[in-house]
């Protein structure tokens, strides 16, 4: 995976994006900030297209192969 | 200059200057160069290896561990022995493989890893150690008294070339290419693939590591579509050019990641004058051929023992004869075609030694015909035999040959070269990453490419094909497939019909018989002196897996990246273990696929260009006025002005004192600024700041603090309410990007639906601070009458928008210095005139050094306190916390640990003796327990206002009461200072000066 | 020690005279038994060191180390070999100092040369602000009796003349924090040395045996499920480094772990050039540079930046590290990279490690080593073994439990917060 397909901008080189965190298993309380899901073949993550349109994205990937399964826009009108 | 002509027996060095050699890569023009202090002449197109061999120089290097004399083994980057250093110290380039180093006039070359000379090397006496220095011997000794006692000597003995002292390398050009089909390798498979793909209409790029295309077609004497190979190659090149395909010569594919392929072009084989290609192909065809393998026999590392293909290449490319009377040794039918070709060039082949039984050889066809011809010429062709030992030291004298069924019956042959070929290992390393794999196949007796991700294909040897006809057909098919996958619809036409060296009918043979004691002179990895004995020993010591063996014996870790040694070693391990090579496997290869210089990866980001420089619009004014710059994140800011002192310390004090006494101006343009606009802006900001933003009145600002999700203070700054639905949030210099992301994250995730726009306006507004008792007066003078009343009436933390010279200007009355001060926000085109006007009207500039003194005197926070480890409570923001605003991070702030007695608290410090210095970074302890840290000094300065050193510190809550006596310990910089805890605000605690 | 051949220069001489076949296996081929007192999962540095100390310090007889692939194949064989104890927080620096003191003696203790080379670890400063940060850390170390020196620019160039350059740097060297006793250790030797020593004390090291889960009864673990069958165990230690995250799945827990990738590379071997370990961090990049005893220059930098188990890094991140390394030492530019690789790092939410019980009273987690696991191996093994053997966490690791994230007793050296990609 050396590129991500931004819903606005299309496929862009990976260094335009900034990874923020993987999501925890369940959206819990504030302590969930310390938790992360750790599945070896499926990872739900928040990234931002910082050197582009600055959209926040939910990316579903396989961290064992790098395969990107899904990229979704986050923000107003999306969830 | 001492002569280094080697003693040779029965071999005349080729006379030079008499008649130029002829070869496919040669021109007749002479080229002069130096090797180990002596001048030689070659021809244009020669490599260092070919020119030196042509002059009879056989001794080209020494091995790493035993310093055995070595000559040329191979004709490409897989060369493990003949590594040369180019250049004169300190500008040297080490470890250049001689067969890759194309000569230029005046080149200065040196052999490596020997002292005092290549011929007489002192450390070669280590060879007598033999079994003492076996694999991993250094793990078993050098323990007493310590490793350090031995390390220096060992480090000097280890390593190959001399360390470079200076690098005058030009940064590479960088080219971005996208294409349909990228083909790695322009040998027969690659050329066929390129032809198919280009004819089908695909955009094709071909990378070829050598300076010429063709691969083994250069010497094989093949016929393709009825023409000679050279002719066919010329036609293909023309056709590819005409169809717009791009052929990159001297370009090796080195690596990349997921769909990005990086190639590096280095003409001449020396670093410099090079290009890095960043290629995004739709499909990548790996057609990089195969690397010939040696066979392990006793003293198979002597100068004069060479790979058969290397000798053929030397002859065809450079007209160099590796040996006038060579012995050929191998396990396949190519032996005979090669022998015939050498014979045709006037070389007297002594004999061919084939490890296979005669029945395995082809009974008809070209190979058989070649054998018949050899017999007629009186060349003995032995089957079921092996070379068991080479004879000679620096000069090869002969070979010992024995039948495999009775290895003790040795026959001696006189010869001056032993040309070895144990088969070929396909170059599949570029196909091994990103879920690529390889598998061992008995047909080719080699590891070939196995499953590949969709965008990568293999062709030719990588697919396990070794006969020319098969290779070309496979290449053509791969090219066609690749083109179709890209949507090309043209017709590729007929594949070329080739006939050359046919199927080699190879039967694996990895090492000749030897006694256990002789195994320590059967070399597997030449550069690192790994022998069969080492492999056996590793197994005995429990290093059974090939990965362990690689690490323990250092098999394959040299500059040739295991090309000649890794698989040979794995095969011998398999034999020793009694298992198949498929089962044992070979050790993982790692990228880069070809050794690549750091310069190629550094690209243009070298020297001052490592990272961008950000400057404010006022940058040149500072420089012109004696400002001394300081790097802060990407920004260049001014630390102090030379007119005020010889160094930062004295200038800072002078500038700070002047601001308090009179006034000054500061460039604060780097201040982060984010506009927050929208119907929900107020409510939204309420949730991101510790205090509520919704209560800020329009036209006013408030000092606000953000929390990180875990309750630590993330950032602080003034938030202005410009309008009902419009705010300007300021952040620390250099933090704007990060804070913007933080704001956007919450808007787009937790509170998606919030009607809020966030815009980074850091660079839209220049900011000049005018501070000091005289600031209002000067400002009124500069801004003029329309501003008089407004400025008079402007209260602390209020702002007013207006115009100056017809451009927007916002004046905010806020203070980081504790003096009456105004922040002027304006567009960059008036920043300079405004600053100049203020300076002319009597406010001199001050820098960051002075700012730090001023803010410290007031106990204001900066990065040293906002270090990501402190909560608002630690920093004394009790008031803000009482508001209990449910913002991000508020809940975790209530965790018990964050309220414990040992939690830090922000305090001020003064030296008890009112004289000693207190510096940021000192640790705080109680007087009677000197090793327990109670906190640290975050920042300490000499205060001109107070006439002594003052500091801010974070001290454990239970020791933070005013008046407590503690010690600031600073063993790193001089010693201890007894200190007294004070309030953080050292000067004007009521803030009267700034509110005046 | 019993069971292993003693190594020494004399032994080498005897081997030379005796001829081939003298040396015996470092760790004997053990057979997997039905039941053990302690099963350690993972034959990396931490697992092997723990097993060794269980046997050596606590006399526990029946210990097995179950390894999915090969001894020392994971991070212990992939790191950049740096050892140091220059940490800021007392909870960390006392621990790592214990480790450093063990490194000093380890070759003698294990009778295996791990090549501890105290050539100095130099953290370089780009600004006065950096110097204050380094001073804070160095002073904290000195308070704890750990060696540290703050050098100014002249001092840096005197200590490491190779850092003198003719042109300007984008981020100038202002000074540095030097720990002279820090340096490098030969990483493979550590795994093999501990494996040999543990095996000599009767520890069963079983390769090619993957643990896939645990069995429980009455709130306690009873053993591990593995690809070679069920193995009873009274106590279980997970020391699986980059796969720590998956242990949570095995036990039905969510862990404060995010698994990241870290790259490293080595150049062709050259004569000595870099005499110590240099750490050069500027606002937008980081590189550490050292030279192995074989002559290759070893470099690494910061995490790639997103979760990955692929052990194959991004090219642009490799370029970042190289740019910074060349900015520090411009004469490296002409050298060639021979190999680059990556390891899998279990990053925690505060950047410090975790040794604690996990889920059950008799199951222990030794992990969360982030990118600092290698230097911790000796202390980790000793402390973890004591914890497992006695049931009480020794002082050195008392602060490194899992509960600290809830209670707020975080060990955050850098102040980056619960975002591992920034640690």
């Amino acid at each position: 995976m050396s590129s991500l397909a931004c819903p606005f901008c299309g496929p862009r080189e990976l260094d335009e994006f900034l990874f923020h965190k993987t999501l925890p298993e369940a959206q819990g309380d504030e302590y969930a900030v310390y938790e992360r899901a750790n599945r070896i073949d499926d990872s739900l993550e928040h990234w931002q297209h910082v050197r582009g349109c600055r959209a926040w994205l939910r990316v579903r990937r396989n961290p064992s192969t790098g395969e990107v399964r899904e990229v979704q826009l986050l923000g107003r009108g999306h969830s | 200059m001492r002569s280094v002509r080697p003693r040779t027996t029965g071999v005349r060095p080729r006379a030079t200057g008499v008649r130029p050699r002829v070869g496919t890569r040669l021109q007749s023009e002479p080229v002069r160069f130096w090797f180990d202090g002596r001048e030689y002449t070659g021809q244009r197109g020669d490599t260092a290896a070919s020119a030196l061999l042509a002059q009879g120089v056989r001794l080209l290097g020494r091995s790493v561990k035993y310093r055995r004399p070595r000559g040329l083994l191979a004709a490409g980057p897989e060369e493990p022995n003949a590594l040369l250093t180019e250049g004169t110290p300190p500008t040297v380039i080490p470890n250049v493989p001689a067969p890759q180093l194309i000569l230029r006039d005046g080149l200065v070359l040196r052999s490596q890893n020997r002292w005092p000379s290549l011929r007489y090397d002192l450390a070669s006496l280590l060879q007598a150690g033999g079994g003492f220095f076996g694999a991993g011997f250094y793990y078993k000794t050098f323990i007493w008294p310590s490793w350090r006692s031995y390390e220096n000597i060992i480090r000097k003995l280890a390593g190959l070339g001399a360390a470079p002292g200076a690098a005058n390398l030009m940064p590479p050009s960088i080219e971005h290419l996208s294409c349909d089909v990228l083909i790695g390798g322009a040998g027969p498979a690659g050329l066929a693939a390129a032809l198919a793909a280009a004819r089908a209409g695909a955009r094709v790029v071909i990378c070829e590591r050598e300076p010429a295309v063709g691969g083994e077609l250069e010497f094989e004497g093949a016929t393709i579509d009825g023409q000679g190979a050279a002719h066919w190659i010329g036609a293909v090149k023309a056709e590819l050019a005409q169809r717009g395909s791009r052929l990159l010569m001297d370009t090796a594919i080195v690596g990349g990641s997921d769909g990005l392929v990086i190639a590096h072009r280095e003409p001449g084989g020396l670093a410099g004058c090079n290009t890095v290609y960043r290629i995004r192909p739709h499909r990548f065809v790996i057609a990089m051929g195969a690397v010939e393998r040696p066979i392990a026999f006793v003293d198979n590392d002597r100068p004069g023992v060479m790979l058969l293909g290397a000798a053929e290449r030397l002859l065809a490319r450079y007209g160099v004869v590796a040996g006038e009377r060579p012995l050929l040794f191998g396990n396949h039918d190519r032996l005979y075609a090669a022998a015939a070709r050498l014979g045709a060039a006037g070389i007297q082949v002594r004999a061919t030694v084939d490890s296979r039984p005669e029945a395995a050889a082809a009974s008809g066809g070209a190979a058989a015909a070649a054998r018949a011809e050899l017999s007629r010429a009186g060349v003995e062709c032995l089957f079921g035999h092996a070379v068991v030992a080479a004879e000679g030291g620096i000069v090869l004298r002969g070979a010992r040959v024995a039948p495999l069924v009775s290895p003790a019956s040795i026959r001696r042959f006189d010869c001056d070269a032993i040309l070895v070929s144990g088969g070929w290992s396909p170059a599949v390393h570029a196909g091994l990453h990103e879920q690529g794999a390889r598998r061992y196949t008995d047909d080719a007796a080699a590891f070939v490419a196995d499953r590949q991700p969709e965008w990568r294909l293999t062709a030719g040897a990588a697919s396990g094909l070794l006969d020319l006809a098969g290779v070309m057909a496979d290449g053509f098919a791969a090219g066609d497939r690749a083109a179709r996958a890209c949507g090309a619809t043209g017709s590729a036409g007929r594949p070329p019909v080739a006939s050359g060296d046919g199927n080699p009918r190879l039967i694996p043979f990895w090492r000749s018989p030897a006694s256990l004691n002789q195994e320590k002179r059967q070399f597997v990895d030449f550069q690192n002196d790994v022998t069969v004995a080492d492999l056996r020993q590793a197994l005995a010591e429990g290093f059974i897996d090939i990965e362990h063996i690689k690490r323990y014996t250092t098999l394959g870790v040299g500059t040739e990246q295991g090309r000649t040694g890794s698989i040979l070693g794995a095969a011998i391990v398999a034999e020793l273990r009694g298992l198949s090579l498929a089962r044992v496997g070979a050790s993982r290869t790692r990228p880069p696929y070809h050794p690549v210089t750091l310069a190629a990866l550094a690209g243009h980001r070298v020297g001052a260009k490592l990272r961008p420089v950000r400057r404010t619009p006022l940058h040149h004014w500072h420089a012109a006025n004696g400002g001394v710059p300081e790097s802060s994140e990407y920004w260049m800011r001014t630390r102090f002005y030379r007119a005020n002192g010889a160094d930062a310390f004295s200038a800072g004090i002078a500038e700070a004192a002047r601001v308090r006494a009179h006034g000054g101006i500061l460039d604060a343009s780097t201040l982060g600024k984010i506009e927050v606009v929208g119907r929900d802006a107020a409510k939204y900001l309420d949730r991101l700041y510790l205090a509520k933003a919704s209560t800020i009145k329009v036209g006013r600002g408030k000092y606000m603090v953000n929390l990180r999700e875990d309750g630590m203070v993330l950032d602080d700054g003034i938030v202005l309410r410009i309008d009902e639905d419009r705010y300007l949030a300021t952040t620390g210099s250099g933090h704007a990007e990060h804070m913007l992301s933080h704001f956007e994250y919450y808007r787009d995730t937790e509170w998606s639906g919030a009607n809020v726009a966030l815009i980074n306006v850091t660079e839209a507004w220049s900011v000049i601070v005018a501070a000091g008792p005289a600031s209002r007066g000067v400002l009124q003078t500069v801004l003029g009458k329309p501003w008089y009343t407004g400025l008079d009436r402007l209260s602390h933390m209020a702002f007013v928008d207006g115009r100056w010279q017809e451009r927007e200007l916002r004046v905010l009355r806020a203070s980081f210095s504790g003096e009456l001060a105004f922040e002027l926000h304006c567009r960059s085109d008036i920043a300079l005139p405004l600053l100049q006007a203020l300076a002319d009207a009597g406010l001199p500039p001050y820098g960051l050094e002075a700012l730090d003194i001023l803010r410290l005197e007031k106990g204001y926070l900066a990065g040293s306190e906002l270090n990501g480890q402190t909560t608002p409570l630690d920093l004394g923001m009790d008031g803000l916390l009482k508001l209990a605003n449910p913002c991000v991070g508020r809940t975790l702030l209530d965790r018990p640990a964050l309220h414990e007695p040992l939690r830090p608290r922000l305090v001020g410090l003064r030296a008890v003796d009112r004289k000693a210095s207190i510096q940021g970074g000192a640790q705080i302890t109680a007087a009677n327990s000197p090793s327990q840290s109670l906190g640290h000094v975050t920042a300490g300065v000499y205060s001109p206002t107070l006439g002594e050193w003052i500091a801010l510190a974070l001290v454990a809550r239970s020791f933070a009461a005013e008046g407590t006596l503690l010690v600031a310990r600073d063993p790193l910089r001089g010693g201890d200072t007894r200190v007294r805890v004070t309030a953080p605000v050292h000067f004007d605690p009521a803030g009267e000066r700034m509110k005046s | 020690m019993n069971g292993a051949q003693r190594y020494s220069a004399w032994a080498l001489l005897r081997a030379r005279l005796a001829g081939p076949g003298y040396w015996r296996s470092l760790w004997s081929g053990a057979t997997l038994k039905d039941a053990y007192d302690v099963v350690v999962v993972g034959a990396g540095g931490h697992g092997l060191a723990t097993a060794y100390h269980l046997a050596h310090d606590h006399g526990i007889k029946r210990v097995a180390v179950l390894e999915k692939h090969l001894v020392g194949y994971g991070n212990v064989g992939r790191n950049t070999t740096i050892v140091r104890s220059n940490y800021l927080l007392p909870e960390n620096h006392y621990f790592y100092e214990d480790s450093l003191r063990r490194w000093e003696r380890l070759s003698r203790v294990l009778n295996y040369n791990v090549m501890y080379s105290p050539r100095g670890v130099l953290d370089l400063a780009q600004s006065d602000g950096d110097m204050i940060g380094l001073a804070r850390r160095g002073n904290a170390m000195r308070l704890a009796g750990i060696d540290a020196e703050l050098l100014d620019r002249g001092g840096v160039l005197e200590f490491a003349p190779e850092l003198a350059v003719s042109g300007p740097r984008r981020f100038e060297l202002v000074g540095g924090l030097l720990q002279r006793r820090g340096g490098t250790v030969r990483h493979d030797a550590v795994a093999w040395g501990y494996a040999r020593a543990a095996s000599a004390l009767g520890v069963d090291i079983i390769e090619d045996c993957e643990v896939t889960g645990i069995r429980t009864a009455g709130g306690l673990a009873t053993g591990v499920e593995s690809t070679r069958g069920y193995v009873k165990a009274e106590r279980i230690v997970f020391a699986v480094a980059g796969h720590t995250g998956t242990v949570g799945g095995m036990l039905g827990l969510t862990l404060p772990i995010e698994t990241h990738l870290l790259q490293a590379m080595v150049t062709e071997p050259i004569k000595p050039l870099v005499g110590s370990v240099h750490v050069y961090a500027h606002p937008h990049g980081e590189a550490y540079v050292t030279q192995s005893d074989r002559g290759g220059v070893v470099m690494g930098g910061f995490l790639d930046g997103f979760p990955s188990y692929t052990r194959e890094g991004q090219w642009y991140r490799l370029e970042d590290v190289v740019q910074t390394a060349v900015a520090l030492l411009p004469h490296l530019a002409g050298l060639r990279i021979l190999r680059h690789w990556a390891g899998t790092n279990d990053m925690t939410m505060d950047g410090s490690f975790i040794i604690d019980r996990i889920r059950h009273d008799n199951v222990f987690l030794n992990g969360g080593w982030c990118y600092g696991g290698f230097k911790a191996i000796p202390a980790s093994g000793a402390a973890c073994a004591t914890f497992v053997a006695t049931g009480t966490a020794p002082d050195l690791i008392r602060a490194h439990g899992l509960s600290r994230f809830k209670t707020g007793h975080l060990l955050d050296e850098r102040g980056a917060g619960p975002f591992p990609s920034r640690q």
Side-chain angles (χ1 to χ4, degrees), chain B residues 148-167:
Chain B
R148 197 78 171 138
S149 344
Y150 307 95
E151 198 182 21
N152 271 333
I153 298 180
I154 290 180
R155 282 169 67 99
K156 289 203 180 86
L157 286 173
L160 290 167

Side-chain angles (χ1 to χ4, degrees), chain B residues 970-981:
Chain B
D970 203 342
L972 292 183
R973 288 171 297 194
D976 304 340
T977 302
R978 289 177 50 233
V979 293
R980 183 169 43 88
V981 174

Side-chain angles (χ1 to χ4, degrees), chain B residues 420-704:
Chain B
V420 184
S421 177
W424 301 268
S425 301
V428 293
H429 38 273
L432 291 182
H433 305 106
E434 296 146 38
Q435 300 98 55
R438 63 183 165 182
R439 67 172 199 285
Y440 183 78
T441 152
D442 285 312
D443 298 340
F447 286 90
V448 302
D450 201 9
R451 66 167 196 279
Q452 295 293 313
E454 203 187 24
W455 68 286
R456 266 198 327 240
L457 302 83
T458 58
S463 308
L465 297 159
L466 292 173
D467 67 302
L468 184 63
V471 159
M472 296 210 73
D474 190 54
F476 196 84
D480 188 48
R481 248 181 4 257
R484 307 255 160 250
C486 302
T489 50
S491 159
R494 279 182 320 106
V497 175
S499 70
D501 289 355
N503 190 321
R505 300 167 68 107
L506 188 147
I507 295 183
F509 187 78
W510 310 99
R511 60 173 180 138
S512 300
S515 71
L516 281 183
N517 256 315
Q518 289 174 317
E519 282 181 352
K520 54 183 184 285
R521 277 154 53 206
Q522 291 187 312
F523 287 85
V524 178
D525 178 319
F526 292 81
Q527 192 171 106
N528 294 309
D529 283 333
V530 180
T531 64
V532 173
D534 292 325
L535 300 178
R536 190 184 286 280
Q537 181 197 325
L539 286 171
E541 294 197 66
F543 296 101
I544 295 175
D545 189 275
I546 195 66
E547 286 296 338
H548 274 160
I549 292 178
K550 168 192 161 191
R551 287 161 191 239
Y552 189 61
T553 63
T554 74
L555 175 75
V557 302
T559 58
E560 49 120 33
Q561 299 179 302
R563 281 177 171 79
T564 54
S566 275
I567 290 174
L568 178 63
I572 293 173
V573 165
E575 280 188 3
L576 293 173
R577 289 184 66 186
L579 297 171
S580 68
L581 182 49
R583 167 96 161 68
V584 165
S587 59
R588 264 188 88 83
T589 65
R590 304 237 176 257
Y593 311 138
H594 187 87
V596 59
T597 57
L598 293 175
L601 272 82
H604 295 160
R605 293 189 179 264
V606 287
K609 290 205 218 159
L610 174 64
R611 290 290 183 265
V613 177
R614 294 177 85 182
R615 299 189 173 116
T616 74
L618 301 165
H619 178 85
H620 295 292
W621 188 92
H622 301 306
N625 283 277
V628 174
E630 169 178 84
S631 183
S632 164
E633 293 280 314
Y634 282 136
W635 291 102
M636 279 307 201
R637 306 189 65 186
T638 305
R639 193 166 175 192
F640 66 96
Y641 295 83
R642 276 196 205 91
N644 302 315
D647 58 16
F649 184 74
S650 44
I653 290 168
E655 287 169 16
R658 194 168 54 196
V659 170
R660 293 238 185 270
H662 169 73
I665 44 177
L666 176 89
D667 178 2
S669 303
T670 60
L671 188 69
K673 312 163 202 80
I674 299 172
E675 278 223 8
V676 184
V677 187
R679 211 172 42 238
D680 298 324
K683 251 186 353 197
Y684 165 82
L685 286 176
D686 278 352
R687 297 164 84 177
L688 281 168
Y689 282 98
L690 194 51
K692 279 189 183 315
S694 50
T695 53
I696 305 174
K697 293 192 168 48
V698 174
R700 293 197 64 82
K702 189 154 91 172
Y703 171 74
M704 303 276 272

